[in-house]
Amino acid sequence: MKDVSSLMQSRIKGNYVALFNSIAQVAADYQVGVYVVGGFVRDLLLNTKNLDIDLVIEGDAISFTKKLAEKFDGQVESYEKFGTSTLRLEGRISIDVATARTEYYSYPAALPEVKPSKIKSDLFRRDFTINSMAIKLAGQGEFFLIDLFNGEVDLKNGLIRVLHDRSFVDDPCRIFRAIRFEQRFDFCIEDKTKKFINKAVESSLIAQLSGDRLINEIKILLNESSQVKCVDRMRELSILQTIAPEIFVDDFHWIVMEKLESALVWADMLLMPKKPEVWFVYFYTLFMVTKDEVFKGMMERLHFPRNIYSRMCSERECLTSAKQDLNKKKELKPSEVYDIFSKQSSETVVLLLAICSSERVKKYAELYFEKYSMSAKIELNGDDLIGMGIKPGPIFNDILKALCDARVNGQVKSREEEIILVRSRFVK
Ligand code: ATP
């Protein structure tokens, strides 16, 4: 076993030193084995920053976390059903604490049944060799790397390798995880592991995942910085075709997908009130199909959660109507541009740009965010209108719309000019 104490000392800095010392102290008080595992160990060996610590306790994780939280002023969230806790500390440090466990899968893609165990069995239930290393934090064997599956060698050789033949049968989510780590670190999925993926895909194991789990994995994948490469890898491994044969049937998907990155960079420079959710723009593009009935059929078949289903449908409607409105006339008045863009989410704006790919859409969106959305502010309010002798009713909306249009079109620039407009058009 390799001693990694000097590596820990050289790479663990600042708040983490006190944190790891306290973990070791609580472990000694409780007389339980405590290990840091998974991504944190992998990233420590890769010398990559990782603020998420996963601890495994050979004992009760929840009471351990509460004890740890007393030492730090942290927030604990416990999940009794799973015997796990999360401790959140200042500076975005988050610690997940779990009881060491063995997992059993009663059928492919089922949620596992779990039983408390020792660290070795806990490491065996993990996804890849590079994620199955641990470091003991206190007691005998302190700061030695526990690497039962040659994870360190695979890390050096840049390989993503499962621990056993049935890994993807037990949990097909690992197929997406394999792509995620492969693309993130620019690694390769090891040959046998790739064969297991092919077999799992051919046996339609992905179709056995619930809509929730499928969405969750794709969402995490599309939050990586190499989305297009991840999607391309899914296509290469026939995963996309298995999820939905309707998608990626022509080049249009790739053309849009490749434009999303620059559309997002452009959107980042705009004064948008809410920044777009990156995963969603890629997700929408992934499931973009031309025909309405094909789109609806696919959405229903995939059993996506209700909120995602409605979000996809409303995104489609918004995009279609925005495209039609933008194409109606060659030159739009500022108030018409305002009307179109004020109804759109930031995700729709990014998608519009990538799909239409026109300088005109870009110019209008820039004008909207940089100019019109700010000049649309009206000074008169309902009380002012009542003070002018106008009775409250639907007419108020017409007046406010007329004032907003006039502001955006630059016909009105002050409260006084607003009053003149209302008097001339709405007061008999
Ligand atoms: P990231 O840097 O993306 O957070 P991570 O390795 O920390 O990577 P998590 O999803 O937080 O990934 O999972 C933590 C650890 O739990 C993993 O390193 C792995 O050991 C284990 N793990 C997570 N999901 C699975 C799974 N589906 N099957 C087996 N082991 C898993």
Side-chain angles (χ1 to χ4, degrees):
M1 277 202 295
K2 176 175 165 176
D3 183 351
V4 286
S5 50
S6 56
L7 192 68
M8 294 276 278
Q9 267 161 22
S10 66
R11 299 212 177 138
I12 293 175
K13 304 250 155 64
N15 299 343
Y16 280 94
V17 177
L19 181 61
F20 277 101
N21 286 338
S22 294
I23 294 171
Q25 223 175 346
V26 178
D29 293 349
Y30 263 63
Q31 304 243 310
V32 288
V34 177
Y35 305 82
V36 59
V37 293
F40 187 88
V41 180
R42 176 198 69 217
D43 292 343
L44 180 83
L45 297 173
L46 281 175
N47 201 10
T48 305
K49 195 171 177 184
N50 187 337
L51 295 179
D52 298 329
I53 301 172
D54 280 305
L55 292 184
V56 167
I57 315 292
E58 287 175 326
D60 180 5
I62 296 179
S63 54
F64 184 91
T65 316
K66 287 183 181 156
K67 190 95 183 154
L68 199 58
E70 283 169 18
K71 293 201 171 263
F72 290 88
D73 208 12
Q75 308 262 322
V76 184
E77 249 177 89
S78 295
Y79 314 92
E80 300 281 346
K81 191 176 156 199
F82 302 105
T84 59
S85 285
T86 300
L87 174 63
R88 287 181 219 292
L89 302 172
E90 248 179 59
R92 288 180 44 236
I93 297 177
S94 148
I95 308 180
D96 284 327
V97 189
T99 299
R101 62 184 196 258
T102 312
E103 290 181 344
Y104 305 91
Y105 293 83
S106 23
Y107 54 90
L111 284 174
E113 287 161 39
V114 300
K115 209 178 92 184
S117 72
K118 291 281 184 194
I119 187 71
K120 281 189 184 169
S121 315
D122 187 284
L123 295 178
F124 191 67
R125 73 174 173 86
R126 291 175 184 268
D127 49 5
F128 309 113
T129 58
I130 61 163
N131 288 342
S132 304
M133 292 179 278
I135 299 167
K136 194 170 184 188
L137 294 179
Q140 204 188 0
E142 187 183 65
F143 297 132
F144 275 87
L145 183 72
I146 304 172
D147 180 10
L148 308 174
F149 310 98
N150 290 325
E152 198 186 7
V153 174
D154 282 344
L155 210 51
K156 282 199 180 114
N157 294 330
L159 289 175
I160 308 294
R161 187 197 305 269
V162 281
L163 310 190
H164 56 88
D165 303 9
R166 285 186 56 83
S167 191
F168 296 117
V169 178
D170 286 345
D171 183 1
C173 286
R174 292 174 188 161
I175 297 175
F176 298 93
R177 293 178 62 85
I179 296 177
R180 166 168 144 213
F181 296 116
E182 181 194 50
Q183 297 305 318
R184 184 193 299 173
F185 299 123
D186 210 5
F187 280 11
C188 258
I189 297 176
E190 173 270 339
D191 282 350
K192 253 175 129 181
T193 303
K194 197 167 145 199
K195 285 193 185 120
F196 296 142
I197 293 183
N198 291 339
K199 228 168 141 191
V201 172
E202 277 163 25
S203 325
S204 300
L205 284 180
I206 292 175
Q208 295 183 27
L209 286 172
S210 68
D212 274 358
R213 293 187 76 200
L214 181 64
I215 279 273
N216 192 42
E217 285 309 321
I218 298 181
K219 183 174 171 180
I220 298 174
L221 200 57
L222 296 179
N223 266 328
E224 291 286 317
S225 57
S226 48
Q227 296 93 349
V228 179
K229 278 161 73 191
C230 289
V231 171
D232 198 26
R233 191 66 166 134
M234 283 200 275
R235 183 197 53 79
E236 233 172 59
L237 294 167
S238 305
I239 296 166
L240 291 182
Q241 299 85 318
T242 313
I243 298 175
E246 302 90 332
I247 60 177
F248 278 86
V249 284
D250 53 36
D251 289 344
F252 184 59
H253 270 94
W254 288 117
I255 296 171
V256 176
M257 219 11 104
E258 277 166 358
K259 283 187 179 144
L260 285 177
E261 195 180 340
S262 58
L264 281 159
V265 171
W266 163 82
D268 201 40
M269 291 185 294
L270 292 178
L271 296 168
M272 282 186 171
K274 184 181 159 280
K275 290 293 170 198
E277 277 188 83
V278 175
W279 77 270
F280 185 76
V281 293
Y282 281 96
F283 187 77
Y284 183 84
T285 308
L286 197 56
F287 292 100
M288 192 171 61
V289 287
T290 323
K291 290 197 173 136
D292 278 343
E293 61 276 17
V294 177
F295 178 77
K296 274 209 128 142
M298 176 176 69
M299 283 293 117
E300 271 157 27
R301 195 189 66 239
L302 290 171
H303 294 296
F304 285 156
R306 210 67 221 163
N307 62 334
I308 299 286
Y309 176 89
S310 356
R311 193 171 172 192
M312 291 293 279
C313 293
S314 88
E315 186 65 51
R316 187 175 173 88
E317 270 173 37
C318 287
L319 270 170
T320 312
S321 83
K323 272 194 288 181
Q324 275 167 0
D325 290 346
L326 282 163
N327 287 334
K328 263 184 203 151
K329 284 203 264 166
K330 252 195 149 187
E331 228 16 83
L332 295 169
K333 279 203 284 192
S335 54
E336 290 169 325
V337 174
Y338 181 87
D339 280 347
I340 297 172
F341 283 94
S342 58
K343 286 183 267 178
Q344 311 308 336
S345 67
S346 45
E347 289 81 14
T348 313
V349 176
V350 171
L351 284 161
L352 261 180
L353 186 78
I355 293 169
C356 301
S357 176
S358 95
E359 279 306 311
R360 191 165 164 263
V361 173
K362 197 171 178 178
K363 181 188 88 184
Y364 284 144
E366 281 169 356
L367 281 167
Y368 171 77
F369 286 108
E370 313 288 334
K371 199 168 164 199
Y372 306 154
S373 63
M374 284 173 275
S375 58
K377 293 189 180 66
I378 308 167
E379 287 189 49
L380 293 184
N381 59 28
D383 288 342
D384 295 320
L385 300 183
I386 293 170
M388 290 167 78
I390 304 168
K391 278 204 187 116
I395 183 97
F396 268 37
N397 280 342
D398 297 343
I399 299 175
L400 296 176
K401 167 87 174 77
L403 286 173
C404 176
D405 285 356
R407 277 276 183 182
V408 175
N409 288 332
Q411 294 148 338
V412 155
K413 292 192 176 66
S414 65
R415 180 183 164 84
E416 288 64 38
E417 287 179 8
E418 285 186 10
I419 293 172
I420 295 170
L421 183 145
V422 175
R423 289 224 165 98
S424 67
R425 287 191 22 204
F426 296 97
V427 180
K428 285 182 194 120

